Amino acid sequence: MTLDPLKNTDSEIAALIIREKKRQKEGLEMIPSENYVSDAVLQAMGSILTNKYSEGYPKKRYYGGNVNIDDIEELARQRAKKLFNVAYVNVQPYSGSPANLAVYLAVLKPGDTVMGLDLTHGGHLTHGWKVSATGIFYNSVQYHVKPDGRVDFDELKKLVKKYSPKLIWAGATAYVYQYEFDKFAAIADSCGAYFAADIAHTAGLVIAGAHMNPAKYSHIITTTTHKTLRGPRGGMIMVTRKGIKKDPDLPAKIDKAVFPGLQGGPHDHTTAAIAVALHEAGRPAFKKYGRQIVRNAQKLAGELIKNGFKLVGNGTENHLLLIDLNPVFGPGGGFFAEYALDEAGITLNKNTIPGELSSPYYPSGVRLGTPALTTRGMKEADMVKIARWIKNIIDTVAVSRLPDKKEDRKEYIIRFKKEISKNVKIKKIRQEVKQFAVKFPVFAVDI
Ligand code: DSN
């Protein structure tokens, strides 16, 4: 694959893509929801399938010329069914948010009660957070985690008794434990609610056997396809055998909710790339990959603790870590760590922590993970180095404090950024990170 046609047509975009390739290759990608796709996934994604309209489902389309698209979509569905051991799959959601919204549309009426994990406690926006459509059009009651970061199942039970929700979500964007799907299922079954497991973060771990599969416990499973699953940006909704037992019409309701309820034509190039990613995930090497992600995350957690950091949950059971930066910066210091590390080529994201004393925009922690590093072939010994770089960078900016008064923040941050851009220690680590990172090949980015 060459960028020549793009360079000839639009040199500005070509130049920006080349710059981004360099960034992805020379840095350490530690945002736990990101990954590197293979050349094969990228090729399917960038194929002529983008030219086609296919509203409807295989053999039931509103457009002609779908003979090949039908086969592609069917392959994607069959591969997902086999890998996740579920009865039915819809591969058309454009991404995780529309997939989740389609679940609401399929099983609830506007105003019905839904329960999900509070966003500031690590939950997803689309599990009923107040500014999301799911919190605006539905009666959302949020549950929380305990100070150790684990879901407070006693609170969940009490809330379920009080509010009798019709739908309960499990799944999170910042959760360091395995999701206890069996416990959620028992609680949802006690009130007759639908139980939906959102495994966007852990889908690849589930396939690898490195995380419990919710298929036995939930009625519905949703996921994005671009995180640990290592596919294109997209989404899937699955209906389990338990789901069909509860409601035999559930697959039809889900299909109707995705199209025509919420979306128009599926993105066939994405469907093909999802099929390729699922094919890759069915290989024995993917099982090794998924398990190595967790081993790397646990090694990194141990090293960060040795370097004096406080971790939510004191470690991790999956691919993701949350550093509580209150002891370093006081409340609201996540921004300083994210920015300084990014300058050194280590990309992660600021994040709220359980019991957050600041706000989602200026949170008190950072979230990081190992899926992308593991794709590049990094192992436990590499985590030791990375933990040391993280420690050195954060030490360099540890004197920073988020001003209490909102009106003082802008100027403080401008000054902070200026100082960082001149910091010699950060520049030196940037070079070390670069020399280290380029030794690990990056699938499609190497082209
Ligand atoms: N935006 C996603 C994440 O980064 O975790 C939430 O699904």
Side-chain angles (χ1 to χ4, degrees), residues 116-270:
L117 179 62
D118 184 293
L119 179 102
T120 61
H121 284 231
H124 283 283
L125 264 172
T126 52
H127 292 190
W129 185 240
K130 54 195 172 200
V131 296
S132 146
T134 61
I136 295 171
F137 298 116
Y138 299 91
N139 176 37
S140 166
V141 178
Q142 304 255 277
Y143 58 86
H144 303 89
V145 294
K146 293 185 289 187
D148 66 357
R150 203 182 272 282
V151 166
D152 185 344
F153 283 100
D154 292 332
E155 184 207 29
L156 180 61
K157 271 187 219 160
K158 278 188 206 142
L159 291 173
V160 162
K161 229 175 177 176
K162 187 165 172 197
Y163 294 101
S164 295
K166 294 235 170 82
L167 170 67
I168 299 175
W169 286 101
T173 104
Y175 194 64
V176 298
Y177 301 99
Q178 296 249 327
Y179 306 134
E180 295 167 283
F181 297 124
D182 46 349
K183 288 192 184 170
F184 280 102
I187 295 171
D189 290 346
S190 74
C191 71
Y194 281 101
F195 169 34
D198 181 337
I199 58 166
H201 266 260
T202 50
L205 304 186
V206 167
I207 291 172
H211 194 290
M212 185 196 282
N213 186 343
K216 221 166 85 187
Y217 304 102
S218 68
H219 303 108
I220 298 164
I221 302 172
T222 63
T223 185
T224 48
T225 48
H226 47 270
K227 298 188 175 98
T228 47
L229 187 51
R230 220 161 55 182
R233 307 197 82 79
M236 298 196 291
I237 307 174
M238 306 177 232
V239 179
T240 64
R241 288 181 197 91
K242 184 176 171 184
I244 291 188
K245 210 160 152 202
K246 179 173 171 62
D247 181 358
D249 292 335
L250 201 45
K253 286 181 185 170
I254 295 283
D255 278 357
K256 210 170 138 200
V258 174
F259 171 82
L262 195 60
Q263 299 186 170
H267 295 172
D268 299 318
H269 55 306
T270 304

Side-chain angles (χ1 to χ4, degrees), residues 1-4 7 17-18 21-22 25 37-43 441-447:
M1 276 184 289
T2 148
L3 279 182
D4 284 350
K7 280 185 197 158
I17 291 176
I18 289 163
K21 273 188 178 194
K22 190 168 147 63
K25 211 169 146 171
V37 298
S38 69
D39 299 0
V41 167
L42 193 69
Q43 204 157 42
V442 189
F443 283 167
V445 180
D446 277 333
I447 300 164

